[in-house]
Amino acid sequence: MSKYLIVANWKMNPLRQSDAYVLASRVEDGYLKFGKNVDVVICPPFPYIAVVSTAVKKIKYGAQNTFWAEKGAYTGEVSPAQLRDIGATHVILGHSERRIHLGETDEMVNKKVRAALDHGLSTILCIGESEREDGEIPAIVGEELVSALAGVKKQLLKNLIVCYEPVWAISTGKNARPDTPDSAFRAVLFIRKIITGLYDRKTADLLRIIYGGSVRKDNLYGFLTEGKMQGALVGGAGLDADEFTGIIEIASRAR
Ligand code: PGA
């Protein structure tokens, strides 16, 4: 079984390059101490990717977004080829903060996913519902998955990581609460069933699925074991070096 994957999504934090350097260095130290048995990725804001890349040697770094075109007249955008060129290995796409607040449509997410995979970036595709009415995983989760993967060839799925991140579980939301491991496990089954329908059983079994939404060191273990998640996307707790190091340690020991 592959190692667990722990991804820090720094969002639009911190405010200073020097703080980004210190935080990344401390995460690297924590990884060296506890985390050899886990894959760790930091996704800082674009302007701090360079400084993070100088602070880390063993852990990887990536971006929180990318564009679909390779180069040209797209003011303000950053291409997958440019991310590869600076050594980024991962990219987060389809995050709910971009879908809901910045107008990113399913079609845009699909174009970005295809471009990122075509350029060999490990692509963390976020899907998740805004509200949960009963225990069932809502259909929107499947719809986001199907539309994001339109036209994606099976061979490219080895670089895809699906992040199930219910919007109501994200720590910055009002009344946010983490999902339960049991419900996260149902999301894993739900996602694998859809991938089986779109591709085949083997592809579905090999797909990496991680959980996001208020992950902390005291709840991660349940998501990895009972929830059968293969890692986590960590927002707020990723900005606290001690807490994040604790998360790395738990993921490393759980495997
Ligand atoms: P959170 O954020 O861990 O602070 O809930 C996760 C995310 O939005 O990626």
Side-chain angles (χ1 to χ4, degrees), residues 200-244:
D200 53 48
R201 179 75 194 272
K202 189 167 168 228
T203 308
D205 286 346
L206 291 174
L207 178 75
R208 278 172 299 167
I209 304 172
I210 65 175
Y211 169 77
S214 294
V215 170
R216 302 192 65 86
K217 65 179 184 220
D218 61 5
N219 61 24
L220 177 67
Y221 188 76
F223 288 115
L224 300 181
T225 52
E226 190 189 337
K228 300 273 188 290
M229 288 286 177
Q230 288 158 299
L233 179 63
V234 184
L239 297 169
D240 175 335
D242 292 335
E243 180 75 22
F244 195 65

Side-chain angles (χ1 to χ4, degrees), residues 8-152:
N9 174 12
W10 284 4
K11 307 191 180 184
M12 205 165 69
N13 299 291
L15 259 189
R16 287 174 196 281
Q17 176 169 246
S18 54
D19 291 341
Y21 184 86
V22 170
L23 179 56
S25 306
R26 290 191 59 200
V27 172
E28 171 91 1
D29 290 346
Y31 171 84
L32 294 174
K33 200 160 162 209
F34 297 115
K36 308 255 169 40
N37 201 21
V38 57
D39 289 325
V40 178
V41 182
I42 296 178
C43 294
F46 286 130
Y48 298 156
I49 293 179
V51 76
V52 167
S53 77
T54 64
V56 300
K57 296 213 164 40
K58 296 286 180 199
I59 63 182
K60 296 174 177 166
Y61 53 91
Q64 301 167 21
N65 184 26
T66 192
F67 193 60
W68 51 80
E70 173 144 333
K71 66 178 198 140
Y74 302 100
T75 301
E77 298 295 342
V78 174
S79 79
Q82 290 170 327
L83 291 178
R84 284 301 302 261
D85 184 54
I86 58 162
T89 53
H90 289 66
V91 65
I92 299 168
L93 291 175
H95 193 283
S96 59
E97 285 156 14
R98 300 196 57 81
R99 291 181 192 262
I100 296 170
H101 303 296
L102 298 169
E104 199 157 285
T105 63
D106 285 345
E107 192 194 348
M108 290 159 81
V109 173
N110 172 245
K111 284 161 95 171
K112 291 178 176 192
V113 165
R114 281 163 41 196
L117 289 172
D118 279 345
H119 283 84
L121 285 166
S122 293
T123 301
I124 302 158
L125 166 66
C126 300
I127 54 175
E129 77 280 5
S130 297
E131 281 170 11
R132 174 91 62 82
E133 286 185 357
D134 49 28
E136 297 305 308
I137 306 296
I140 179 84
V141 177
E143 287 156 20
E144 286 182 348
L145 182 61
V146 170
S147 66
L149 294 181
V152 174

